């Protein structure tokens, strides 16, 4: 069972309190009724499913109930960082030791 | 007497404390604290089972968890029986019934042993090669035979009468292993103020001191030091010591699963105690102190009963006071077997010879052997053994050839050196690295917050192990944030037996191209030859070799065999061993019972059972319940003599003629509050909510973004800024999550909040012509007249003196109400309503009648008449989709080309030509029943009932272009006949809907 | 208009009692409960209406029972529990933007008391409940076995477990089973 840091509760909590809610930073078009079939396909059906760094949504459903975003390495299954929904996409980089870190966090 | 091989004055058990047990029905005596292995050997029994593939006679190999052979069925009674228990781990208790396995009709004479003679047939990869063809034979011939012959042990058929506990625990430092290193680390961490859990799989701590009686720490025996250290740990409030507790799974972020065997060793366990405890530990730091496991020598016929690991023989002698034989041969490549030989000789056991493959030996060992009068054969090998049910002799000579000699023995102890137990480290995702100097795999970089200490980390010297572990324990405590100041110093002096010397792979005598059986993996009957064959057949990766030969794949997970198998594969490949690589260690470290894993989640705690506030009344009035998700819902209320059909017919008739009471409490309810509540609902539902006045309600449809129906329900507007939303029973949690998702992430600018009120309200539907007559006497403050409170309206007032949200709505097509009251009042209000209803001739009705009544009216049930691929238009619900809204969830999805193309399945009614025939739900529909099979299926039946009110069967179905087929005849082919149906609309009763307003 | 029956409140766990040498498990007294939702700028006015300071830090409470208690459940969400008064009516006096929903009957509560109370919860709760991170006054929504609960630590050895009413029999049974081994 993973521990996941909830950016609202400000601490690590057991995975059983959370639900994964799919890929993050896919914004619903404001003019959704008017978009093309191709644009709808891209928005609704296409997901990146990467090996390595993934940005995904989680919900602390059995905790504070908030949705938030996370950066996770799908190879090591490690969370690099979590942040509140609405905040900009967090960019990460892989250090020389192979570990992922938030860009600019290494000093 | 607790066995003829018990040696007076030896061992740590109390001779006076005897217990009785049976083995294959034979009554035997043991000492309290004996493992079954020790007790059997004390009674002269080495033969304990037959091997898996060849059914060869086998005995104890080890005295620990690595045991591959001695798997025993242990029982207290019929229901309390566990197969495949390692005799080397199970403690004997008074009254224990032990049975050997994998033999028929008896252990000494086993018919399956024919496999041994036919063994050329059972070479590596046998299963892959043999059961390939013909394909059909697999299911009907091979699989039943393999299943009957395979598998170790038989599980009991009775329900498990015991209970198992679960504990989630959190600590600063978890120490895995209670040997010298683990105890040292735990003491250092505990004295530094950390909260510590120390676990060890054995009944007592002490690790290698079980066998190494020569070890001394600060002048006392290693064993005594370990017991004192453990007593000190137990006395500390911040320490939990768990013995008989195996760490079997090392998961992410220092989540380590331990299983504690609580009562397995007790003759009369307190029934209040759990049989086992699962400890789910979350540790800030983990210290791995799992020691090392001795390897056997790989040579011809090295599997006869009586041939066992040297350290095991030393444990039997020094801990249990049991000699493994009267004439014990020694075959070794490691110094530690010499210590066993010396101990045995000093205990009065004959040791005819020590055969050591190494030509150059430590002069001190040679001197000691000479002093004790033990012959040493340096640079020689055991080439073969004899003896069917027990080893009788060993053939000794040089691997290079020359003269050989047979030495009579009744036991043979062996050691090929020690394999560090890197299982926990490896499970933590650390990669092992090859240490060329010591020729072994050791932990490399630790990737979790853990550290390996002692023998599992390649530290052979006791003093070094104690000191290193103490440093690691202190460091772990500090890293975990412990701020204690008391320092604990590791003991100043420590000495132990030498563990120097090792060999991997086949020893001389297990010749490369001979047909001898030199076993690498005892449990899976994998020989050195099998591994060579696997490599020759193209298995060049160790993972392939493992799966082809099954080396290391059984319940012992290759604890003794992995390194030997790897070395033989490497030799055959002509590659250095580290280049071939080690297979991955996976959880569980040793087998874990389902009881421990399931623990509390059985019986009524397997899954929550949810009951409504009126459940008790329903039960008392004879309701039959159906499971709807986790809910128990009243299904129908049979009267004496009625079957389900008769009860439902009566209920259906009564509701339309008089009235009925229905428990609708399980419906999901969500309170939507805020100035943007209507704007939010506009986005989540297809309908428009702007013009709905407070006090009115409306049927709403919710789509997913892909345009398919997700849920439906009636929504009441309680105030400008407050809606009472209802959802389907099963949809309640996901609808709230769906709404929260959009609110939090797509429409966060809206000022609105969502609160689940599903369980705040008990809901009593009162439906039928006399509904108003029933509720009127109990309601206060609400004008119930048609004019003041028409169909689809909601009012707040009081009923039976308690607050109510009273909905005038209907899922039956009759005039009716849904009485919402705070749940704790539900039972009383239901009873009061029943007191009004019963004298009028009304009935209580269940979900089956509800289903029939709604189907008579063509009202859909989401999830029954829809399946996640049905649009509002498919369901004939286009009227509920607002045409002028600029946006709602699903607005774009439902316009996708395939969702507006002709030929989609549409919801229609079906009437069978023969009104007495009731269609099967799910049955397929075709246009032409005479077409060849496979037919073109144009739809399927979604709902189908007998309805007493119509005097015939009715059905709903999804049919391609169904609405255009009204009046046409279609066919429902069934296995025994083809049923003719006419396509109709979906409303079968009161097509004008006048009854709603009555 | 005959008021023929006057409904009285029936607790879903009425009459139950359980426990072991280490813990006593009892249904809590009936209470009024409000699910309160509001933005940060309106907390002050709502606190005034309620007569207690709504807690702003995660996993904390203010007030105490018997009386009135407010538990932080999320950044804009509180659970108000009151064993005598009418918090819904009090909140009605606050004229700031908020959502107050009566959940008095949605939830019920189970009280745990004794040296083994924490271990009883740990039979089914994966959250870290040790003193350092879950002191007296802490409260958290979390899971207990297969259900969602709110755990409030009301004393050194005292906990209140709030759950939805239809899950209360499951919660009570799981805690009763956990109690058997709470002194392990």
């Amino acid at each position: 069972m993973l521990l996941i840091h909830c950016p609202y509760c400000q601490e690590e909590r057991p995975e059983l309190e959370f639900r994964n809610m799919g890929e993050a930073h896919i914004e619903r078009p404001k003019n959704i009724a008017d978009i093309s079939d191709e644009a709808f396909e891209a928005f609704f059906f296409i997901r990146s499913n990467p090996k390595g760094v993934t940005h995904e949504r989680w919900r602390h459903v059995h905790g504070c109930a908030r949705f938030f975003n996370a950066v996770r390495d799908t190879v090591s299954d490690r969370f690099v960082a979590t942040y509140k929904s609405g905040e900009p996409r967090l960019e990460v980089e892989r250090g020389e030791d192979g570990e992922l870190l938030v860009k600019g966090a290494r000093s | 007497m607790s066995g003829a091989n018990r040696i007076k004055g030896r061992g740590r058990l109390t001779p006076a404390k005897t217990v009785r047990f049976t083995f294959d029905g034979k009554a035997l005596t043991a000492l309290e604290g004996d493992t079954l292995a020790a007790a059997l050997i004390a009674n002269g029994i080495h033969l304990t089972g037959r091997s898996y593939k060849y059914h060869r006679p086998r005995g104890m190999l080890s005295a620990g968890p690595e045991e591959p052979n001695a798997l025993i069925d242990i029982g207290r009674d019929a229901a309390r029986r566990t197969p495949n228990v390692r005799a080397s781990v199970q403690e004997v208790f008074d009254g224990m019934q032990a049975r050997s396995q994998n033999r028929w009709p008896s252990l000494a004479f086993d018919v399956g042993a024919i496999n041994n003679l036919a063994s050329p047939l059972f070479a590596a990869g046998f299963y892959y090669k043999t059961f390939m063809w013909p394909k059909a034979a697999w299911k009907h011939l091979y699989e039943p035979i393999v299943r009957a012959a395979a598998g170790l042990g038989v599980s009991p058929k009775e329900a498990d009468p015991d209970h198992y506990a679960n504990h989630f625990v959190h600590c600063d430092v978890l120490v895995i292993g209670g040997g010298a290193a683990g105890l040292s680390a735990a003491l250092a961490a505990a004295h530094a103020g950390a909260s510590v859990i120390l676990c060890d799989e054995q009944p007592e701590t002490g690790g290698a001191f079980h066998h190494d009686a020569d070890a001394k720490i600060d002048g006392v025996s290693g064993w005594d030091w370990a017991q004192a250290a453990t007593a000190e740990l137990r006395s500390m409030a911040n320490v939990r010591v768990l013995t008989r507790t195996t760490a079997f799974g090392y998961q992410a972020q220092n989540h380590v699963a331990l299983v504690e065997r609580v009562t397995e060793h007790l003759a009369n366990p307190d029934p209040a105690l759990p049989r086992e405890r699962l400890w789910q530990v979350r540790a800030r730091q983990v210290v791995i102190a799992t020691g090392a496991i001795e390897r056997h020598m790989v040579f011809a016929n090295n599997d006869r009963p009586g041939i066992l690991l040297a350290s095991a023989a030393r444990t039997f002698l020094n801990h249990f006071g049991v000699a493994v034989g009267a004439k014990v041969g020694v075959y070794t490549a490691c110094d530690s077997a010499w210590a066993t030989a010396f101990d045995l000789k000093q205990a009065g056991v004959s040791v005819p010879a020590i055969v050591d493959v190494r030509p150059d030996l430590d002069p001190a060992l040679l001197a000691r052997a000479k002093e004790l009068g033990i012959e040493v054969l340096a640079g020689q090998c055991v080439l073969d053994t004899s003896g069917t049910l027990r080893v009788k002799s060993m053939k000794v000579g040089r691997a290079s050839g020359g003269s050989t000699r047979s030495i009579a023995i009744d036991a043979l102890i062996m050691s090929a050196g020690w394999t560090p137990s890197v299982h926990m480290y490896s499970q933590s995702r650390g990669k092992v690295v090859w240490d060329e100097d010591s020729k072994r795999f050791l932990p490399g970089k630790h990737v979790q917050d853990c550290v390996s200490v002692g023998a599992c980390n390649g530290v052979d010297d006791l003093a070094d192990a104690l000191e290193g572990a103490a440093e690691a324990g202190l460091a772990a405590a500090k890293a975990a944030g412990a701020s204690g100041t008391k320092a604990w110093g590791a003991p100043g002096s420590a000495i132990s037996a030498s563990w120097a010397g090792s060999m991997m792979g086949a020893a001389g005598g297990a010749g490369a191209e001979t047909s001898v059986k030199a076993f690498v993996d005892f449990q899976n009957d994998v020989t050195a030859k099998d591994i060579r064959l696997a490599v020759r057949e193209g298995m060049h990766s160790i993972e392939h070799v493992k799966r082809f030969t099954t080396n290391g794949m059984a319940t012992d997970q290759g604890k003794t065999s992995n390194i030997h198998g790897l070395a033989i594969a490497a030799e055959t490949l002509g590659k250095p061993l580290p280049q071939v690589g080690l297979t991955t260690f996976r959880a569980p470290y040793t087998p874990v019972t389902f009881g421990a894993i399931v623990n509390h989640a059985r019986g009524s705690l397997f899954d929550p059972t949810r009951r409504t506030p009126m459940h008790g009344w329903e039960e008392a009035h004879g309701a039959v319940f159906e499971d709807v998700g986790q809910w128990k819902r009243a299904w129908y209320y049979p009267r004496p003599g009625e079957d389900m059909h008769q009860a439902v017919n009566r209920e259906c008739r009564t509701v339309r003629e008089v009235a009925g009471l229905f428990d609708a409490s399980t419906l999901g309810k969500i309170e939507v509050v805020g100035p943007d509540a209507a704007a939010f609902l506009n986005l989540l539902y297809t309908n428009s909510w702007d013009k709905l006045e407070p006090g009115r309600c409306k049927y709403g449809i919710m789509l997913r973004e892909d345009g398919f129906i997700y849920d439906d329900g009636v929504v009441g507007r309680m105030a400008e800024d407050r809606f009472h939303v209802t959802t389907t029973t099963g949809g309640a949690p996901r609808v709230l999550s769906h709404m929260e998702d959009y609110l939090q992430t797509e429409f966060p600018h809206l000022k609105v909040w969502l609160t689940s009120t599903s369980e705040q309200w008990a809901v009593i539907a009162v439906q039928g012509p006399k509904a108003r007559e029933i509720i009127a006497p109990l309601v206060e403050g609400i004008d119930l007249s048609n004019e003041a409170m028409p169909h689809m309206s909601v009012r707040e007032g009081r009923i039976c003196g308690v607050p109510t949200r009273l909905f005038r709505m209907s899922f039956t097509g009759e005039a009716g109400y849904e009485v919402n009251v705070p749940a704790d009042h539900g039972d009383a209000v239901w009873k009061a309503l029943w007191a009004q209803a019963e004298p009028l001739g009304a009935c209580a009705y269940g979900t089956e009648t509800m289903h029939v009544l709604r189907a008579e009216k063509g009202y859909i049930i989401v999830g029954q008449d829809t399946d996640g691929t049905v649009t509002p238009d498919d369901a004939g619900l286009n009227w509920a989709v607002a045409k002028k809204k600029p946006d709602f969830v699903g607005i774009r999805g439902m316009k996708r080309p395939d969702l507006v193309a002709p030929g989609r399945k549409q919801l229609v009614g079906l009437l069978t030509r023969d009104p007495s025939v009731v269609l099967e739900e799910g049955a397929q529909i075709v246009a032409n029943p005479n077409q060849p099979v496979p037919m073109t299926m144009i739809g399927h039946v979604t709902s189908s009932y007998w309805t007493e009110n119509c005097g015939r069967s009715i059905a709903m179905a999804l049919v391609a272009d169904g609405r255009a087929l009204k009046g046409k005849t279609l066919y429902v082919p069934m296995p025994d006949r083809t049923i003719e149906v006419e396509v109709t609309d979906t409303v079968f009763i009161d097509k004008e809907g006048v009854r709603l307003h009555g | 208009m005959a008021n023929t029956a006057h409904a009285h409140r029936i607790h879903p766990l009425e009459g139950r009692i359980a426990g072991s040498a280490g813990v006593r498990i009892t249904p809590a007294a009936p209470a009024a409960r409000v699910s309160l939702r509001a933005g940060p700028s309106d907390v002050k006015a709502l606190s005034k209406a309620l007569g207690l300071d709504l807690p702003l830090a995660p996993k904390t409470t203010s007030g105490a029972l018997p009386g009135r208690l407010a538990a932080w459940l999320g950044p804009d969400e509180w659970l108000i529990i009151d064993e005598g008064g009418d918090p819904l009516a009090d909140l009605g006096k606050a004229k700031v933007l908020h959502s107050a929903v009566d959940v008095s009957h949605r939830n019920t509560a189970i009280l745990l008391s004794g040296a083994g109370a924490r271990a009883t919860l740990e039979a089914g709760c994966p959250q870290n409940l040790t003193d350092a991170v879950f002191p007296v006054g802490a409260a958290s929504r979390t899971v207990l076995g297969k259900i969602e609960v709110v755990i409030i630590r009301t004393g050194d050895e005292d906990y209140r477990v709030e759950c939805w009413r239809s899950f209360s029999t499951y919660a009570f049974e799981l805690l009763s089973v956990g109690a058997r081994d709470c002194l392990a």
Side-chain angles (χ1 to χ4, degrees), chain B residues 427-441:
Chain B
Q427 282 187 25
S428 80
R429 291 191 154 196
K431 295 260 181 290
V432 292
V433 293
W434 176 254
D435 183 64
E436 188 57 37
D437 287 344
S438 62
K439 302 269 189 261
R440 56 190 172 183
F441 287 103

Side-chain angles (χ1 to χ4, degrees), chain B residues 445-512:
Chain B
K445 186 183 169 216
H446 289 77
V447 297
Q448 295 201 30
D449 291 326
C450 61
V451 61
S452 297
V453 298
C456 74
N457 198 37
V459 181
D460 297 327
D461 182 79
L462 180 58
D464 290 350
L466 288 164
E467 194 183 330
E471 282 168 14
L474 180 63
K478 283 186 172 165
S483 54
T485 49
K486 270 178 73 181
W488 181 80
S493 79
I495 50 160
S496 68
S498 164
W499 291 19
S502 111
M503 76 168 299
M504 289 165 289

Side-chain angles (χ1 to χ4, degrees), chain B residues 198 200-205 234 241-245 260:
Chain B
L198 171 82
D200 191 279
E201 61 195 342
Q202 303 214 50
E204 323 86 354
T205 56
R234 284 191 196 277
V241 177
L242 297 170
T243 52
R244 298 188 179 91
T245 303
E260 179 185 4

Side-chain angles (χ1 to χ4, degrees), chain B residues 321-343:
Chain B
V322 172
V324 296
K327 268 186 295 188
V328 181
V330 181
Y331 185 25
T332 186
C334 173
D335 290 354
S336 59
W338 291 65
T340 309
F342 300 156
D343 285 357

Side-chain angles (χ1 to χ4, degrees), chain B residues 666-682:
Chain B
T666 62
L667 282 184
K669 298 157 212 91
I670 300 166
E671 193 96 331
V672 179
V673 181
D676 293 329
F680 177 70
L681 293 183
N682 278 338

